[in-house]
Structure formats: C-alpha cells, structure tokens
Amino acid sequence: MPDSWAGLVQVAILLGALALVYRPFGDYLARVYTSEQHWKAERALYRLFRVNPSSEQRWSTYAVSVLAFSFVSIVVLYLLQRLQPVLPWNFGRGAIEPGMAFNTAISFVTNTNWQSYAGEVAMGHFVQLAGLTVQNFLSAAVGIAVAVVLVRGFVRRSTDRLGNFWVDLTRGTIRVLLPISVVVAVVLVALGVVQSLRSGVTVSNPDGSQSTIALAPAASQEAIKELGTNGGGIFNANSSHPFENPSSWTNLLEIFLLLVIPVSMTRAFGTMVGSRRQGYTLLSVMGVLWGVMLAVAWWAETHPNGPAALLAGASLEGKEQRFGIGQSVLFATSTTGTSTGAVNSMHDSFSGLGGGVPLLNMLLGEVTPGGVGAGLYGILVLAVIAMFLAGLMVGRTPEYLGKKLGRREVTCAAVAMLAMPTVVLLGTGAALLMPGELDTALNNTGPHGLSEVLYAYASAGNNNGSAFAGLTVTSDWFQSSLGIAMLIGRFIPIIAVLCLAGSLAAQRKVPETPGTLPTTSPLFGSLLAGTVVLVAALTFIPALALGPIAEALA
C-alpha cells in the first residue's frame, strides 16, 4: 500500500477510535468530578495527608494549593536529580548539573517535559520512575483539575466555593490516569515496547567489538507520557526510538492516547453544564483547526522544494521509514496541537512550511485540541474573548452560558491569553540579542535559525516540550530562561483561569433573551475559530514571516 494511503487509513482508524470512546469516556470524566462518593484508596490518602474531602475552597485558596503543591514538586524533583549518585538504580551515573536539574524539574512539573539531556545516559531508573514518571501523572491531574474548576464556575451560582484541589488531584490520578496507564503499558509490552529494569544489554558487533544497548522501563513511562500529554521520552530519540514506538500499531495507539482525554473533555464539559451541544461546538472548532493543520503539513512534506527532497520525491530527512510521511505528519500535528511534545520524527528536518505547522499549532495556544485539561480551559478562555468581541460589535454586555462577562471576567481571560505570547516573544527577542549564546547554540543561520529559537520559546511557553533539534540549549542562559518561560506559561494562565472561575461562580445565571448569541450555532463556532486564528495572527505573523514563511518561500 502506498505511504499516502496507509497514512489516510491510519487517520480514519484514529478518528473512528476517538469517536467510539468519546461518549462513554467523556461521561465517565464528568462523573469522576461530580460524584460525592470517595473510593477507599482515596479516603486512605485523605486521612494520611489530613485532607477534609468535604471542605471546598475559594478560588484563591485553590490557587495557593496548586502553587504550593507545584513548588514542593519542583524542589523534590530537583533534589532527586542532584542526589542521584546515592540513590538506587543509578548505574554509576552522576548528579545532574544544577542548571539542567533546575530546568528539568520545572519542565516535568509544568507538564512541559522539555529535555536537554539524553535520558538513557544521564538518568538512572530510580530518578526516571520516582521523579519523572510520578510528575507525568501529577502534572496531568493538575491540568484536569483546573479545567474542571472553570467548568464549575459556569455551572455554580452565587457561591465562592469551587471544589477541593486535593480531592480533584487525587481523583484525576486514581480514577483516570493510573488505571488507563496500567492497561496501556501491558498492551505496549505486548506490541513490542521495552520494559526492563536493566541498564542495558551487551551485544557483539560483526567486527568482534562489543556494544551496550540501553534498556529501560519504557512501556510504563510511554503510557502516561502520551495519555497525560507529557511527552518526555525515556530515550533521547523519544517516540522515534524502536524501543518506545516499534511499529505502526504502537504509533497509532500513542497518537490516540495523546488525543483521547483532551477530545473527551469537551463531552465532559457539555455533560457538566447540562448541554452537550456546547461541548460539540468546542470539539468542532478544535477538529476543524486540527484537520486544516494536518492537511497543510501533509501537503508540504509531500511537495518538497529543496533539491535533495526533489530528487527523493518527498521530504524524507528525519523521518523513520517504518512510519513514512503520513504517520510522521499525523504524529507531529497531534503532538503540537496538544501539549505533548513527543516526537516520532525530527521537526527540525521538516520543510519550511511543514515545520511551520507544528510551530503555529503551539502559537495558536495549543487548543487543537490542547493538553490534558489545558486544552479545555484554553478554548474556554478564547470563547470568553470571542463573546466579548461579539458584544463590542453589537453594543451589548456579553454573556456565555448564562454568565455575564464584565470587566473582571474579560481581564482574567485576557491575562490568561496574553501570558504565552509575552513570554514567547520576549524570550525569543532576548535570546537573539545574545550573539555569544547563539554562536555556540545554533547550528543554522538565517530564517531557519530564527525558527529554531522561536520554536524553543514557543514550546516552553506553551508547556509543549518538543524542539527543533538544531538548537543546543545546555548553557545556563537557555536552561534558566526556558525554565522561567515554562513557569510563566503554566502558572499565570492557571491563576487567571481560577480567578475567572471564582468570578463566574459568584454570579447568578442570566436567562436567555432574543438578543443572546446562541453558543451552539455555526456562527459562534466560526467566531471562536476566527478568534483563535486572529489572536495568533496579530501576535506572531511578523516573527513567522521572518522564520518559516521566509524559509518556505526561499
């Protein structure tokens, strides 16, 4: 079967699988966060940590809980890396140097999973399992919790209580992420993904010499890495490594995993607000933008303009032969449309236009369909902005889901929306003003070199974690600046979203009138999609014109 047809078949299977689980899984997610029953394991944890599960929090208290938990997580993960020589399963590997440990701790706690090291060389299994894998679960659970709080803000009336962070965190981990990951890890092992506690195996080469092939508990990390839209690979080559992603079937399963929760969260949203058509509207916007990006990247990679690619008949550099162009592009579009950042091909080797698609996916705010939890609250923030713009056009106070959008609400949405562009553009600009850093970090000059720097800060600011591999970021400047970008890109929007939720929950519901804009109509869907594109265009077109657009036209 030709590669293009094989890729299309895989897209069809992927969409069919997502459609099959959308209703039951979305409704299950809604039940998880609305049920008043606590599982025995959950009650045991509440007793252990002295949490009163019946006590609900104001938005400000919820925000403090998120920040405090994340701060402690960063400190613990940093210490695990620095103390690696005295920990078990270290295999003689030394302590991670301070700048890299700082960057990595922030990266995994913020659900970014940006990696400036080779996992199979730098870290032993204890740090990988007790540090990185644990944060893959917890950071994803935090994202879902924040999204659920925003939904509660729309649902609840005349209250300042929005739930309990510790309960939401526990439920997301125990009821959603952990059981699915266990099952998926077993499936991945059956499909050929490595799961071993050995450091490696020694093999003989044809010339009589010996080599050591690294081994790791890859299947267990791969499951939550994709399901939690984390993306950090246990091997340096990430999901292009045959031990993490050996075949087309594992490739399809991994793409399904990184999409399933963000997609199903729209169903959970519709169920929780009492109108599933609201969720379908959000899903349609996400789906259309995802489909357009996929089509553009696919066309760009199959219609190359470079001499080497023209001779080959397609842009094959940096792609695994077992996946081909179709499956590589599908993975790239999905991993950057979510906040995953895992890669099964090298985005740096894509064509100018093809490489611009993963970059633009992140600059759109990663709402196609976005990360675990972050995708839903990201698209809802943009929905608030869209309704605000609609209100300006007709001279009417905007409202969404029965809640008026006044100065406080729009300000919160604006802060959440503008945090990412601010950190991306300021970070990129600051890096470009430091030629001493770029002389040793950049492998390319001109438009592609600019794209590499822009991509790095877009990935950090959006908590994605993928990279254009032509940029070396091991200097103290990049370790620190990218770490700060991750912190700002993660927690400023979270605080703004929680503030927005508190403001909405305090209101009474406003009845619909003939002048209310229906938010389940194609008109609203078009307005929302236009807002997503317009915000990114107004903010990033100058930078994109100097980078991937200039490269594509060269």
Side-chain angles (χ1 to χ4, degrees):
M1 182 183 294
D3 283 349
S4 58
W5 282 105
L8 290 173
V9 168
Q10 192 166 60
V11 171
I13 295 173
L14 173 66
L15 295 178
L18 289 171
L20 186 65
V21 303
Y22 178 72
R23 179 175 179 176
F25 188 45
D27 290 347
Y28 173 73
L29 288 172
R31 289 196 299 273
V32 165
Y33 292 98
T34 56
S35 171
E36 296 183 0
Q37 301 298 318
H38 304 292
W39 290 5
K40 289 183 179 179
E42 295 168 351
R43 289 198 295 268
L45 288 173
Y46 300 149
R47 287 194 297 270
L48 177 64
F49 293 103
R50 297 184 179 181
V51 172
N52 179 4
S54 301
S55 174
E56 295 205 349
Q57 299 170 319
R58 299 180 178 88
W59 80 263
S60 54
T61 308
Y62 203 103
V64 170
S65 299
V66 171
L67 295 176
F69 176 75
S70 300
F71 174 76
V72 171
S73 297
I74 290 172
V75 172
V76 170
L77 186 50
Y78 177 85
L79 292 176
L80 284 175
Q81 295 174 83
R82 297 292 294 147
L83 297 174
Q84 179 168 247
V86 301
L87 297 175
W89 288 336
N90 62 59
F91 306 121
R93 295 163 191 171
I96 305 300
E97 64 93 16
M100 188 175 292
F102 169 81
N103 182 283
T104 302
I106 292 173
S107 175
F108 278 78
V109 172
T110 58
N111 199 244
T112 310
N113 290 39
W114 175 275
Q115 294 173 288
S116 55
Y117 59 90
E120 65 269 41
V121 175
M123 293 189 183
H125 294 347
F126 187 86
V127 175
Q128 290 274 10
L129 294 172
L132 306 187
T133 304
V134 167
Q135 286 306 317
N136 282 347
F137 282 97
L138 298 179
S139 64
V142 169
I144 301 176
V146 173
V148 168
V149 167
L150 182 55
V151 177
R152 289 179 184 142
F154 285 109
V155 173
R156 297 187 178 186
R157 309 174 188 178
S158 304
T159 182
D160 61 353
R161 305 294 165 164
L162 290 166
N164 188 309
F165 168 71
W166 308 107
V167 172
D168 293 338
L169 177 74
T170 304
R171 289 187 176 189
T173 304
I174 291 180
R175 300 192 189 188
V176 180
L177 298 170
L178 191 58
I180 298 175
S181 295
V182 170
V183 174
V184 170
V186 174
V187 173
L188 287 174
V189 170
L191 292 174
V193 178
V194 168
Q195 180 74 10
S196 175
L197 293 178
R198 298 170 63 186
S199 63
V201 59
T202 302
V203 298
S204 298
N205 299 317
D207 62 0
S209 63
Q210 291 186 326
S211 301
T212 299
I213 299 176
L215 297 175
S220 57
Q221 177 138 325
E222 197 71 15
I224 186 57
K225 158 190 150 183
E226 310 294 6
L227 181 66
T229 63
N230 295 283
I234 204 163
F235 294 105
N236 188 39
N238 209 282
S239 290
S240 64
H241 198 295
F243 287 179
E244 287 193 24
N245 190 8
S247 68
S248 292
W249 286 111
T250 56
N251 192 64
L252 178 62
L253 176 58
E254 291 183 16
I255 298 173
F256 171 81
L257 287 172
L258 61 90
L259 290 172
V260 66
I261 292 181
V263 166
S264 299
M265 283 293 290
T266 60
R267 170 79 181 190
F269 166 71
T271 300
M272 291 176 72
V273 300
S275 173
R276 293 190 173 115
R277 292 181 62 190
Q278 299 287 348
Y280 299 152
T281 301
L282 300 184
L283 179 63
S284 65
V285 173
M286 294 173 171
V288 167
L289 292 173
W290 177 85
V292 169
M293 290 298 183
L294 176 62
V296 171
W298 201 317
W299 182 89
E301 294 305 293
T302 53
H303 294 77
N305 59 0
L310 286 171
L311 287 173
S315 182
L316 297 173
E317 178 189 331
K319 298 178 178 65
E320 292 292 312
Q321 288 298 309
R322 67 185 184 277
F323 301 139
I325 289 178
Q327 297 178 41
S328 299
V329 167
L330 176 60
F331 200 111
T333 304
S334 301
T335 195
T336 52
T338 61
S339 65
T340 310
V343 295
N344 75 345
S345 59
M346 296 300 104
H347 296 177
D348 193 39
S349 296
F350 280 28
S351 64
L353 181 58
V357 167
L359 175 58
L360 183 57
N361 256 340
M362 294 186 292
L363 298 180
L364 288 175
E366 290 183 340
V367 292
T368 58
V372 169
L376 180 60
Y377 69 68
I379 197 74
L380 287 174
V381 163
L382 288 164
V384 169
I385 298 297
M387 292 302 294
F388 171 68
L389 295 176
L392 289 179
M393 288 187 282
V394 300
R396 175 186 171 91
T397 301
E399 57 190 66
Y400 184 53
L401 298 178
K403 298 296 179 75
K404 286 190 175 294
L405 305 176
R407 180 179 60 85
R408 182 183 177 88
E409 292 77 20
V410 174
T411 300
C412 291
V415 169
M417 179 186 69
L418 293 174
M420 179 272 292
T422 300
V423 74
V424 170
L425 293 176
L426 288 179
T428 302
L432 294 174
L433 290 173
M434 302 184 70
E437 291 287 343
L438 295 182
D439 288 344
T440 57
L442 273 179
N443 291 334
N444 299 276
T445 58
H448 194 75
L450 173 61
S451 295
E452 289 176 343
V453 179
L454 179 62
Y455 194 105
Y457 285 94
S459 180
N462 280 285
N463 304 131
N464 184 272
S466 63
F468 270 11
L471 179 68
T472 303
V473 293
T474 52
S475 70
D476 288 342
W477 159 259
F478 279 111
Q479 299 283 20
S480 301
S481 63
L482 290 171
I484 293 170
M486 295 175 214
L487 286 172
I488 295 174
R490 174 72 163 180
F491 293 114
I492 294 299
I494 281 179
I495 293 171
V497 165
L498 293 175
C499 179
L500 172 62
S503 181
L504 292 170
Q507 297 183 32
R508 298 177 181 176
K509 190 167 185 178
V510 179
E512 290 189 8
T513 66
T516 302
L517 174 64
T519 52
T520 57
S521 65
L523 176 61
F524 174 72
S526 301
L527 177 65
L528 178 55
T531 301
V532 173
V533 174
L534 182 64
V535 168
L538 292 176
T539 309
F540 294 110
I541 280 295
L544 292 171
L546 295 173
I549 295 176
E551 184 180 359
L553 296 176

